Amino acid sequence: EPGPGGAGAAAEDAAPAEPESPDQCLSLLPWDRFSAWLHCVCVVGFDLELGQAVEVIYPPHSKLTDKEKTNICYLSFPDSNSGCIGDTQFCFRFRRSPGRKVSLCCFLDQLDRDLPVYLKKDSAYYYGYVYFRQVRDKSLKRGYFQKSLVLISKLPYVHLFRTMLKQIAPEYFEKSEAFLEAVCSDVDRWPPPVPGKVLQLPIMGVIMKLRIPTYRDKPGTTPIVQNMHQADAQISMALPTVHEVDLFRCFCPVFFHIQMLWELVLLGEPLVVMAPSPSESSETVLALVSCISPLKYCSDFRPYFTIHDSEFKEYTTRTQAPPSVILGVTNPFFAKTLQHWPHIIRIGDIKLPGEVPKQVKVKKLKNLKTLDSKPGVYTSYKPYLNKDEEIVKQLQKGVQQKRPTEAQSVILRRYFLELTESFIIPLERYVASLMPLQKCISPWKSPPQLRQFSQDDFMKTLEKAGPQLTSGLKGDWIGLYRHFLKSPNFDGWFRSRQKEMTQKLEALHLEALCNENLVFWSQKHTEVETVDLVLKLKNKLLQADREHLPVKTDTLKKLQTHINDIILALPDDLQDILLKTGT
C-alpha cells in the first residue's frame, strides 16, 4: 500500500550512517517507521443497531482479527455506570490473536535488547490508549455524541501516548478523517524508538522531546530532556518520562497499605482494583505493576477489564483458584463475580488530599458486598514485613506542607525502588555464584553448565548477606523469600538471569577458541576432524549472531580469520566445498 512519508522521505530523514544503523533499516518501506511505534489507530463509535463498532482503522492495510476488533470495541468505551461526561483518557491491554507474522521483527528486537526489563514489549499483548468523548448532542437519536480515538501499540509508553492523544484527539473530533491521515503521516516520519537517544517527534505542529530509558541507566534516575528553544516557530514539549504514571495520586486512596500492596504485587497474588472510572482503574493497575520496578511484573495485568473481554470466563471462573493477574474493573457486576478473589482494592474518585488521610484498617473480604462499599483494601493477607512508619510520616508531612504531587511521587518511587533492591540483591548475589569459574572453560569442550539453584543454599546465604545489609525493615524476610520463589515473578526473573549467564558462558567459550592457535591444531589432526572443526566454528559464528551473544566484534572477526586460514591450508577440493557451505 502506498503511504505517507514513503521510502524517499524516510531516506532523506535518515542520517548517513553504517549500513546497519536503525534509521537506515527503517528507511526501506512506507509505514515501517509508523509500525515501529504503533500498530494502528482506530475510531470506535456507537451505532444504535450494532452498539459499539470500529468505524475507522488507519492505515487501512492494518490487520486486526475479529476477536481483536471486538475486544477493542468494548474496551474503548467506559461502562455506562461510569457516567463519564466530557473527555476521558485511559488505557487497556488485550491478548493478540496467535499466529500472526510480525514485520520489522529483527529490527525491533534489536531495540528491545537495550531496554530495561520492565519496558521490554510482550509480543503476546497490545496496549490500547483511549481518548473518549461523550457530550450532549440533541441532533443525535441517543442525545449524546460518543466516540473514542484509540492508539494500538505494543509499546508500554503510557505517558507518551497519553500526551500525544491530548494533542490530537480534540482536533480530530472537530476535523475527522483527513486529520487522522495527517497524524499518521507525521508518525511515519518519526525516528525509530531507540533507547538512550533524545528523540524529537513532530505531531501536528508540536515537537515532543523525550528519551526512552536503557538498561544501563541507574535505576531511579531519569536523565532530564531539556526544553530547548526552537529556532523555528514550532512549539516544543519536553516529556519527563515516556512510561511513568503519577504514583502518589494513584496510591493516595490506599495510602496506608502501600507496603502490603508492594508485597502482593511482588508475590504475583491475584488482585482486583474496583474503581469508579476506567481512567482511575487503569492508572492504579499501572501504578501497582510499576511499584516492583526494576523487577518485571511477569503475570498478566489488565488496566481496564470488562465483562465482554474474551478472557472474562477464564479469569472469573470459580472452579479453580483465581489466576495470578491484576484486573482493573468499573462494572458493579464484578463486586459479585469476583467476591471469591483474595485481595480487592476499592478506590473512590481519586482526588489529591487537602488534608492528611485518616488511618484506614484493612477490611475483611466478607464486608465487600457491592461496589458501594467504602474505599479501602479488602483482604485477609498478613504482610511478612513490619510496617515502615517512616514513609507514611514523610508523605503525610508532604500533604500538610502542600508539597507538589510530582515531588511526592519521586519520594514514593524511591521508597519502592530501595525496598525492591534490598529484596533482590541477595538473590542476584547468590545466582552470580552459580556461574562456573573462567578457568573451567576449555576451548576443546562444550561450555560448562550453570550450577542448579538450591533454595536451601540460598536461604543459608541470607544470614550473613541478606536484606538487612541494605534495609532497616524488620519482619519475616525468610517467609517472603519462600513465597516469592514459588511466584511467576521469580520464575520470569530467574529465566532471564539464566539466559544472560548462559550467553555469557558461550561468549567466554568463543573468546577461549579465538585465543588458540587453531591452524596449528588442524595440522596435527585428520582432514575429517579439521572439517568438523570448521563446521562447528561456522555454527558458533551463526549462533553469536542469532542469539546476539555479548561478544566483541573483534573476537568475531578474529574467529572468521581463523576459519579462513584453516580452510586455505586444506586441499583445493575441500576448500571449494567449505567456502560455499553456510553451515
Side-chain angles (χ1 to χ4, degrees):
E1 306 265 347
E12 282 166 45
D13 290 357
E18 311 92 281
E20 67 270 12
S21 100
D23 288 54
Q24 287 208 343
C25 274
L26 276 195
S27 67
L28 299 175
L29 292 166
W31 294 115
D32 275 356
R33 289 172 166 242
F34 177 91
S35 303
W37 292 92
L38 292 171
H39 177 67
C40 64
V41 179
C42 298
V43 178
V44 180
F46 194 89
D47 181 289
L48 272 177
E49 271 138 42
L50 302 171
Q52 278 129 260
V54 175
E55 295 175 352
V56 179
I57 297 178
Y58 209 87
H61 63 266
S62 305
K63 301 248 189 315
L64 286 171
T65 63
D66 289 344
K67 190 176 178 183
E68 287 168 343
K69 280 185 202 159
T70 305
N71 273 330
I72 290 168
C73 278
Y74 285 114
L75 290 165
S76 298
F77 270 41
D79 277 318
S80 51
N81 65 292
S82 293
C84 300
I85 293 291
D87 292 0
T88 306
Q89 277 191 265
F90 58 94
C91 102
F92 59 82
R93 185 172 179 261
F94 64 103
R95 270 187 206 164
R96 286 183 63 203
S97 297
R100 284 252 296 285
K101 211 172 80 193
V102 184
S103 61
L104 283 183
C105 190
C106 59
F107 168 73
L108 293 176
D109 283 351
Q110 187 184 327
L111 297 185
D112 215 45
R113 285 205 310 281
D114 289 335
L115 287 168
V117 63
Y118 53 88
L119 283 184
K120 288 184 191 293
K121 63 181 189 316
D122 184 334
S123 53
Y125 291 89
Y126 279 131
Y127 283 84
Y129 299 99
V130 184
Y131 193 106
F132 169 73
R133 174 168 286 184
Q134 174 163 278
V135 286
R136 283 191 183 283
D137 184 339
K138 294 214 172 83
S139 68
L140 296 171
K141 248 185 181 174
R142 291 191 90 197
Y144 280 102
F145 168 89
Q146 290 175 311
K147 212 170 269 258
S148 281
L149 182 62
V150 190
L151 308 177
I152 304 293
S153 174
K154 291 190 204 77
L155 305 176
Y157 302 157
V158 190
H159 188 71
L160 162 64
F161 292 121
R162 185 188 172 85
T163 308
M164 176 178 164
L165 278 168
K166 227 181 226 162
Q167 282 300 120
I168 61 171
E171 214 171 326
Y172 164 73
F173 290 128
E174 306 301 321
K175 293 186 181 166
S176 200
E177 306 315 315
F179 180 76
L180 199 56
E181 204 167 317
V183 165
C184 293
S185 175
D186 267 358
V187 177
D188 199 44
R189 291 191 183 94
W190 285 6
V194 178
K197 274 172 77 171
V198 173
L199 304 174
Q200 301 198 17
L201 312 180
I203 191 82
M204 305 318 285
V206 172
I207 289 185
M208 298 186 292
K209 290 193 168 166
L210 53 95
R211 179 186 177 277
I212 297 167
T214 81
Y215 72 90
R216 294 177 201 88
D217 295 351
K218 185 170 180 285
T221 59
T222 312
I224 299 298
V225 178
Q226 294 303 327
N227 209 344
M228 283 138 46
H229 179 67
Q230 288 287 324
D232 53 28
Q234 284 198 305
I235 310 149
S236 157
M237 295 164 65
L239 272 59
T241 170
V242 287
H243 65 286
E244 287 170 357
V245 291
D246 186 339
L247 263 197
F248 180 66
R249 207 173 132 266
C250 297
F251 279 117
C252 237
V254 286
F255 193 81
F256 289 96
H257 310 302
I258 50 175
Q259 195 179 313
M260 175 172 77
L261 294 175
W262 172 84
E263 283 190 23
L264 291 173
V265 175
L266 179 78
L267 300 171
E269 284 286 309
L271 261 173
V272 188
V273 174
M274 294 185 174
S277 78
S279 56
E280 277 139 1
S281 89
S282 63
E283 291 218 340
T284 308
V285 169
L286 292 167
L288 286 164
V289 166
S290 75
C291 80
I292 60 168
S293 171
L295 264 184
K296 180 184 170 74
Y297 178 78
C298 294
S299 297
D300 189 8
F301 59 95
R302 303 301 177 90
Y304 174 50
F305 188 75
T306 75
I307 55 174
H308 303 285
D309 198 287
S310 49
E311 276 76 59
F312 174 74
K313 278 202 175 84
E314 178 189 333
Y315 283 171
T316 56
T317 175
R318 285 173 180 250
T319 55
Q320 56 205 54
S324 169
V325 290
I326 303 179
L327 299 180
V329 303
T330 60
N331 192 325
F333 180 70
F334 279 108
K336 204 168 159 214
T337 322
L338 300 178
Q339 257 176 345
H340 61 299
W341 276 47
H343 322 287
I344 294 172
I345 302 168
R346 270 286 291 119
I347 50 177
D349 292 311
I350 296 186
K351 294 187 201 76
L352 280 172
E355 71 283 347
V356 181
K358 305 278 186 293
Q359 172 75 50
V360 187
K361 280 201 167 74
V362 174
K363 297 175 168 63
K364 293 197 167 53
L365 278 163
K366 64 176 192 300
N367 298 342
L368 183 76
K369 298 286 190 300
T370 65
L371 219 79
D372 306 331
S373 312
K374 289 195 169 65
V377 179
Y378 292 78
T379 178
S380 52
Y381 176 81
K382 295 277 179 288
Y384 286 97
L385 303 183
N386 301 349
K387 196 163 185 175
D388 188 339
E389 301 293 349
E390 207 45 52
I391 181 71
V392 175
K393 281 183 199 149
Q394 204 179 348
L395 292 172
Q396 281 178 320
K397 194 174 171 192
V399 173
Q400 286 161 340
Q401 294 174 346
K402 307 229 171 340
R403 190 187 289 145
T405 168
E406 295 81 10
Q408 293 276 75
S409 284
V410 168
I411 291 169
L412 193 48
R413 192 166 275 114
R414 191 183 308 127
Y415 163 75
F416 282 136
L417 174 70
E418 286 170 1
L419 194 51
T420 306
E421 287 193 325
S422 288
F423 180 78
I424 211 73
I425 286 168
L427 272 162
E428 294 274 12
R429 198 182 284 122
Y430 170 71
V431 167
S433 76
L434 303 178
M435 185 86 164
L437 297 173
Q438 196 155 348
K439 65 180 183 191
C440 305
I441 298 169
S442 155
W444 307 113
K445 289 182 187 158
S446 297
Q449 299 285 304
L450 294 175
R451 292 211 318 282
Q452 288 288 314
F453 185 103
S454 151
Q455 183 170 323
D456 293 341
D457 289 352
F458 166 64
M459 292 299 178
K460 282 175 198 156
T461 67
L462 294 176
E463 201 178 317
K464 288 198 174 103
Q468 69 278 9
L469 298 182
T470 48
S471 170
L473 265 188
K474 299 279 185 279
D476 181 11
W477 285 95
I478 301 274
L480 186 61
Y481 280 115
R482 280 193 201 287
H483 195 153
F484 177 71
L485 294 180
K486 297 190 198 105
S487 76
N489 288 334
F490 169 71
D491 190 54
W493 172 83
F494 184 60
R495 276 169 197 260
S496 131
R497 279 290 169 274
Q498 244 178 339
K499 186 180 171 189
E500 272 171 37
M501 288 159 70
T502 306
Q503 289 189 334
K504 179 76 181 147
L505 283 170
E506 289 287 355
L508 289 169
H509 188 245
L510 260 181
E511 278 168 29
L513 274 167
C514 275
N515 295 331
E516 286 292 311
N517 186 339
L518 298 177
V519 178
F520 180 70
W521 180 92
S522 66
Q523 287 161 356
K524 292 194 167 307
H525 288 75
T526 64
E527 275 180 15
V528 174
E529 289 170 316
T530 304
V531 169
D532 189 48
L533 175 69
V534 169
L535 296 179
K536 277 183 177 155
L537 293 176
K538 282 190 171 194
N539 274 333
K540 279 276 180 198
L541 280 179
L542 283 171
Q543 181 195 11
D545 181 54
R546 189 179 59 244
E547 294 177 17
H548 312 293
L549 296 182
V551 189
K552 296 187 191 80
T553 320
D554 290 351
T555 307
L556 297 178
K557 282 181 184 161
K558 201 170 161 189
L559 194 59
Q560 187 61 63
T561 311
H562 279 326
I563 293 172
N564 296 342
D565 291 346
I566 296 169
I567 293 175
L568 289 173
L570 288 165
D572 291 353
D573 56 342
L574 272 178
Q575 280 189 39
D576 288 346
I577 294 167
L578 288 172
L579 290 170
K580 281 177 196 157
T581 334
T583 58

